[in-house]
């Protein structure tokens, strides 16, 4: 059996909100594997909030820009939120988003692109690190485009035009007037920012994610003690609910919490007198998927004191 450390129990508690003894048991039951222990706690109904497992922890900014029928998002990370308020940093994020429109979503290619005023994007970033005195990184980029219609941006927690903590692009394919598409796109983008869909349609959800949810649903259903045929129905019902709640087109629109997004689009198309198709979206939330290093100030002080070999004063 794997050695269960206090640090791993602490991390699991922080990521799930479950009790200390439950976290210790979850790790013991899963040979110390953190992700498996999280699933085990969810299956047992002991996790306070499953979404804490993917909580955000990094600082910086999301940049959004749209030109014509093409839009781009970029994420640039920094060590502290203070840097996100720096004019040099903000200017870099704006320019990086603008360059992503031309060079696409490949971060390596974007880093090698020519930066306004000379040098490459990566060289400018390196220069900024020296000037600001804090590490920064160009983490990711995404581009959406339509042949006819509109790509509509939305930035949540905006700190400056086109810069904030959550950025969304929504792509609408339609011959409807630009005013109609921009208003619909803005509303859907706000929904995406709030509801965090994982895919456009249920069939687009990753198969490995579905299988993971199937395993969790199966463990929950078995706990009920019901016959196998009932357990299987419970599992399929749980998966159907998961698909519906995590696909954008079937999510209930946040503005009224009763109309599926697909029906919102259909209603707008009817009013416009022409077809409107929601063909894609991108959502970047600052730092999602990055675990922030937890600093123990007391431990740092103790370590520093130990390093100095100073004896305590009586």
């Amino acid at each position: 059996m794997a050695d269960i450390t206090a640090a791993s129990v602490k991390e699991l508690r922080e990521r799930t909100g479950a009790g200390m003894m439950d976290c210790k048991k979850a790790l013991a039951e899963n040979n110390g594997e953190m992700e498996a222990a999280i699933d085990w706690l969810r299956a047992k109904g002991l996790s306070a909030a499953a979404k804490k497992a993917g909580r955000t922890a990094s600082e910086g900014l999301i940049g959004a820009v749209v030109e014509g029928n093409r839009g781009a998002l970029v994420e640039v990370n920094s060590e502290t939120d203070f840097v996100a308020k720096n004019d040099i940093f903000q200017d870099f994020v704006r320019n990086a988003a603008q360059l992503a429109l031309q060079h696409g979503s490949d971060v390596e290619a974007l880093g090698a692109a020519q930066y306004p005023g000379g040098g490459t994007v990566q060289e400018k970033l390196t220069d900024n690190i020296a000037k600001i005195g804090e590490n920064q990184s160009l983490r990711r980029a995404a581009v959406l485009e339509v042949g006819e219609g509109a790509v509509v941006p939305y930035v949540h927690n905006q700190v400056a035009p086109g810069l904030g903590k959550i950025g969304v692009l929504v792509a609408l394919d339609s011959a409807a007037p630009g005013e109609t598409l921009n208003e619909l796109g803005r509303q859907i983008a706000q929904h995406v920012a709030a509801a965090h869909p994982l895919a456009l349609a249920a069939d687009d959800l990753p198969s490995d994610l579905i299988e993971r949810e199937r395993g969790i649903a199966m463990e929950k259903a078995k706990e009920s003690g019901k016959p196998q045929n009932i357990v299987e129905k419970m599992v399929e019902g749980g998966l159907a609910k998961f698909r519906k709640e995590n696909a954008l087109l079937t999510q209930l629109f946040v503005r009224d919490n009763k109309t599926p997004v697909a029906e919102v689009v259909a209603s707008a198309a009817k009013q416009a007198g022409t077809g409107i198709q929601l063909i894609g979206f991108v959502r970047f939330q600052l730092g999602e998927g990055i675990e922030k290093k937890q600093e123990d100030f007391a431990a740092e002080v103790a370590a520093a004191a130990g390093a100095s070999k100073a004896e305590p004063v009586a």
Side-chain angles (χ1 to χ4, degrees):
M1 187 178 76
D3 183 31
I4 309 303
T5 66
S8 62
V9 172
K10 179 175 180 289
E11 180 183 351
L12 187 57
R13 283 193 70 188
E14 290 174 346
R15 293 181 65 179
T16 65
M20 183 177 70
M21 295 308 296
D22 289 329
C23 289
K24 188 174 181 180
K25 184 175 181 182
L27 288 165
E29 290 285 337
N30 292 279
N31 202 33
E33 292 291 329
M34 186 63 62
E35 296 303 322
I38 290 170
D39 288 351
W40 188 90
L41 287 168
R42 290 181 60 192
K44 300 295 183 183
L46 299 173
S47 176
K51 288 187 177 180
K52 285 186 179 180
R55 69 186 180 195
T56 61
S58 187
E59 303 297 342
L61 287 171
I62 305 296
V65 63
V66 169
E67 282 189 3
N69 293 347
R70 188 174 172 89
L73 290 180
V74 297
E75 177 179 357
V76 184
N77 295 129
S78 61
E79 291 182 50
T80 66
D81 185 55
F82 179 76
V83 170
K85 300 169 185 175
N86 182 292
D87 289 341
I88 294 174
F89 184 81
Q90 291 185 4
D91 190 55
F92 177 83
V93 178
R94 286 192 194 93
N95 283 322
Q98 192 70 40
L99 288 167
L101 280 175
Q102 306 168 34
H103 298 278
S105 60
D106 186 288
V107 172
E108 187 173 343
L110 183 56
Q114 288 298 302
Y115 193 84
T120 67
V121 170
Q122 187 57 52
E123 287 169 348
K124 179 61 176 177
L125 185 60
T126 301
D127 183 57
N128 285 351
I129 293 170
K131 285 181 179 177
I132 297 173
E134 184 171 308
N135 191 29
Q136 299 149 56
S137 64
L138 176 59
R139 183 186 180 203
R140 55 179 171 166
V143 176
L144 274 185
E145 186 174 12
V146 295
E148 181 180 32
V151 174
V152 184
Y154 171 69
V155 176
H156 188 64
N157 287 341
Q158 187 166 266
V159 299
L163 304 175
K165 303 296 186 181
I166 298 176
V168 178
L169 296 176
V170 168
L172 297 169
D173 188 354
S174 176
E179 184 178 346
T180 297
L181 296 180
N182 284 326
E183 177 59 23
L184 175 63
R186 184 181 63 82
Q187 292 182 12
I188 294 175
Q190 288 175 335
H191 168 95
V192 170
H196 197 177
L198 302 179
L200 180 63
D203 290 343
D204 299 327
L205 288 165
S207 57
D208 58 340
L209 176 62
I210 295 298
E211 288 310 306
R212 178 173 177 172
E213 290 300 319
R214 185 187 299 278
I216 293 170
M218 180 65 74
E219 289 301 316
K220 284 183 177 179
K222 285 179 179 178
E223 292 287 329
S224 70
K226 296 184 183 296
Q228 183 61 28
N229 65 321
I230 301 299
V231 166
E232 291 175 0
K233 289 181 179 179
M234 290 171 66
V235 169
E236 291 308 313
L239 286 175
K241 181 182 179 184
F242 177 83
R243 290 188 181 97
K244 180 179 179 180
E245 291 178 347
N246 288 281
L248 175 56
L249 291 173
T250 51
Q251 283 183 330
L252 299 183
F253 196 39
V254 293
R255 291 201 163 204
D256 64 11
N257 204 34
K258 64 180 181 180
T259 309
V261 170
E263 291 184 18
V264 172
V265 176
S267 177
K270 185 176 180 181
Q271 291 181 17
T274 187
I276 300 176
Q277 186 177 5
L278 174 56
I279 62 172
F281 74 93
V282 179
R283 180 187 188 275
F284 279 4
Q285 181 167 335
L286 183 64
E288 60 191 343
I290 299 176
E291 285 298 322
K292 191 173 185 179
K293 182 180 178 182
Q294 298 297 317
E295 301 292 348
D296 188 335
F297 182 69
E300 284 186 10
V301 172
S308 68
K309 306 294 185 181
E311 296 295 330
V313 178

